Amino acid sequence: MHPFELGAFFFGGVEMDDAGAGPPAPTDRRVTNEQVWKATTDYISSAMEAERLGYDSFWTTEHHFQYEGYEVIPNGIQISTWIAARTERLRLGTMFNVVPQWNPLRLAEDFATLHNLSGGRGILGVGRGTVPREVLHLNDKGVSIGSHDNPEKAADDDRNRRVFEESMEIIRRALTQERFSFSGEFFQIPVPGIPDRGSTVQDLTLVPRPLYPFEIWQAVTSPPTLEYVPRVGHGAVFWNQHHSFIKRFWDTYGERYAEAHGVELEPHEKRMLVLAVRIEDTYEKAVETATPGHDEFWKFLGPYGWSRGYMGADGKPAKPGLIPTLEESIENKTIIIGTPEDVAEGIAFYRDLLGLRYLTIFPHLIGDPYKKADEQMARFIEEVVPLV
């Protein structure tokens, strides 16, 4: 037994032999369909390895149209259903189902099907999205997503948030109520005036609904989301923020949850930390092997504003568009690298800071072979966890 509810999270990208801070630019990458499918099958194999190693959960992604090869799994629920058929114990979630890209009723149906087929091993992970290219082509409401390179980011982000929150209210009602309806700014359920056998439809029933209890976890990266998530009772997932910002958000979540529900949570409850890791026999080797994948990650995601949770020189959040070096990531403690002893020390820091129990590692840096990620999962659970 280990002291954590331990998960592994993979982006599901293709292997790259030229990952790093330099060329090619992300927009110049073009992977083949064969590379995409090899990554998909390797991804499934890594999930099975996670179960063999004793991980509690495995987290997939949902992304679309990424010819660059960074994230090539378009449907985390579908791929998790396939994984569930090949595993017995592993819990399966998506970081994250991008809710504004879905009809909320279809998302609820698909999740309920996964959850029931897996015997209650599904986890509903939800988020608002990253890439306008994806969101705009997969919804009928003109919903985009605010990002650093989007000039209309404020208006887009506000509209996205309103659609997301309505969608989640529909999803929660659909999954938990035998009959439900909803009337909001974007959705009317059922659509008014539908004739049905001599009357009109007044409510809907989701078929199927979950047969087992289920959890909803949501990415928390901004103050408005930090206000929303505890109020509706979702678990909070924290990643890629300076450790002091994580601590502030972590504690604020507990305070807001108590205000909304009248219940004082234990420090670890309903909060999860995601950390990138790299374990080698020496610290120098860890720096060497982590640098290409780390730098490719930020070359890809920095322009979308993902580093806004890093600390700037003034002690405040970094300016949008920062592309951090590995040294900056180590300083912010968004990645823990080194020998097993070094990594255990980094994990113990967060355990003591947060009362951490729900920990998910990110062992597959962009471009890495999947065998490397499998090795990292093994070294973490076999060599690091016993030291914490």
Side-chain angles (χ1 to χ4, degrees):
M1 295 293 292
H2 52 74
F4 303 111
E5 290 289 327
L6 191 59
F9 169 40
F10 285 43
F11 265 7
V14 305
E15 296 181 14
M16 300 174 181
D17 57 12
D18 56 356
T27 50
D28 291 337
R29 286 194 179 279
R30 285 276 173 183
V31 300
T32 67
N33 192 47
E34 289 72 22
Q35 287 176 290
V36 167
W37 196 245
K38 182 179 186 302
T40 303
T41 57
D42 287 346
Y43 195 72
I44 294 165
S45 296
S46 288
M48 297 167 66
E49 180 67 2
E51 168 152 289
R52 188 190 72 79
L53 289 167
Y55 281 78
D56 299 294
S57 60
F58 187 85
W59 296 83
T60 59
T61 58
E62 181 208 336
H63 285 285
H64 306 266
F65 318 125
Q66 287 195 10
Y67 61 85
E68 306 96 332
Y70 294 124
E71 300 162 296
V72 300
I73 304 298
N75 191 318
I77 291 176
Q78 186 178 46
I79 206 83
S80 292
T81 305
W82 184 262
I83 293 168
R86 286 154 179 75
T87 55
E88 297 179 355
R89 182 190 50 78
L90 198 65
R91 301 183 67 210
L92 299 161
T94 301
M95 284 190 182
F96 295 91
N97 295 293
V98 183
V99 174
Q101 295 172 183
W102 286 78
N103 178 303
L105 298 179
R106 293 303 302 269
L107 179 54
E109 287 174 341
D110 286 6
F111 172 73
T113 301
L114 160 66
H115 197 50
N116 291 348
L117 284 173
S118 66
R121 291 189 282 136
I123 308 169
L124 183 56
V126 296
R128 297 196 302 113
T130 303
V131 186
R133 177 208 307 167
E134 300 182 5
V135 185
L136 277 163
H137 289 96
L138 289 166
N139 72 82
D140 61 358
K141 295 179 171 26
V143 177
S144 187
I145 181 69
S147 66
H148 177 58
D149 65 347
N150 182 348
E152 301 298 325
K153 58 183 179 296
D156 283 340
D157 209 55
D158 180 67
R159 181 179 175 85
N160 180 294
R161 188 179 298 279
R162 298 196 322 268
V163 169
F164 173 88
E165 292 185 6
E166 280 198 14
S167 297
M168 286 310 306
E169 180 62 28
I170 293 164
I171 289 167
R172 288 191 299 268
R173 292 185 190 188
L175 291 172
T176 60
Q177 299 177 12
E178 182 179 353
R179 305 170 113 184
F180 70 96
S181 60
F182 179 84
S183 178
E185 178 185 359
F186 299 99
F187 297 94
Q188 300 290 321
I189 297 175
V191 174
I194 299 175
D196 189 42
R197 289 171 280 196
S199 184
T200 58
V201 179
Q202 299 299 307
D203 50 46
L204 295 181
T205 297
L206 194 76
V207 178
R209 294 194 309 283
L211 296 173
Y212 308 90
F214 65 92
E215 299 173 357
I216 301 176
W217 290 83
Q218 181 176 343
V220 177
T221 60
S222 68
T225 304
L226 184 58
E227 294 295 320
Y228 167 79
V229 170
R231 174 166 52 83
V232 296
H234 298 172
V237 180
F238 301 99
W239 189 31
N240 279 326
Q241 299 179 62
H242 186 275
H243 55 85
S244 68
F245 300 157
I246 293 274
K247 172 63 173 172
R248 186 185 311 157
F249 273 37
W250 193 275
D251 291 345
T252 300
Y253 176 95
E255 294 165 6
R256 297 292 182 269
Y257 190 93
E259 291 167 4
H261 303 280
V263 175
E264 296 283 344
L265 297 174
E266 294 295 324
H268 68 272
E269 285 187 283
K270 297 184 77 68
R271 281 155 285 185
M272 179 189 302
L273 180 67
V274 178
L275 283 173
V277 298
R278 179 49 53 103
I279 307 152
E280 301 287 3
D281 292 339
T282 66
Y283 183 87
E284 293 72 21
K285 183 67 173 178
V287 169
E288 175 189 339
T289 65
T291 296
H294 169 276
D295 290 354
E296 189 71 39
F297 179 101
W298 285 112
K299 186 169 69 177
F300 165 41
L301 288 170
Y304 291 120
W306 267 44
S307 56
R308 61 185 177 271
Y310 274 54
M311 181 182 284
D314 58 0
K316 298 178 180 179
K319 301 293 184 185
L322 170 71
I323 299 178
T325 63
L326 178 60
E327 183 179 2
E328 289 172 306
S329 293
I330 293 169
E331 184 178 338
N332 278 262
K333 297 189 186 297
T334 61
I335 186 170
I336 308 296
I337 76 167
T339 65
E341 292 77 13
D342 293 329
V343 176
E345 182 179 347
I347 300 301
F349 169 85
Y350 275 111
R351 178 202 61 200
D352 297 341
L353 180 70
L354 306 175
L356 179 66
R357 181 173 299 174
Y358 294 94
L359 172 65
T360 294
I361 65 166
F362 186 70
H364 189 220
L365 301 181
I366 287 185
D368 277 348
Y370 280 80
K371 287 183 179 179
K372 184 66 176 180
D374 294 348
E375 170 210 287
Q376 291 294 298
M377 286 196 296
R379 295 197 72 168
F380 188 84
I381 202 165
E382 294 169 359
E383 301 178 40
V384 173
V385 170
L387 299 177
V388 177

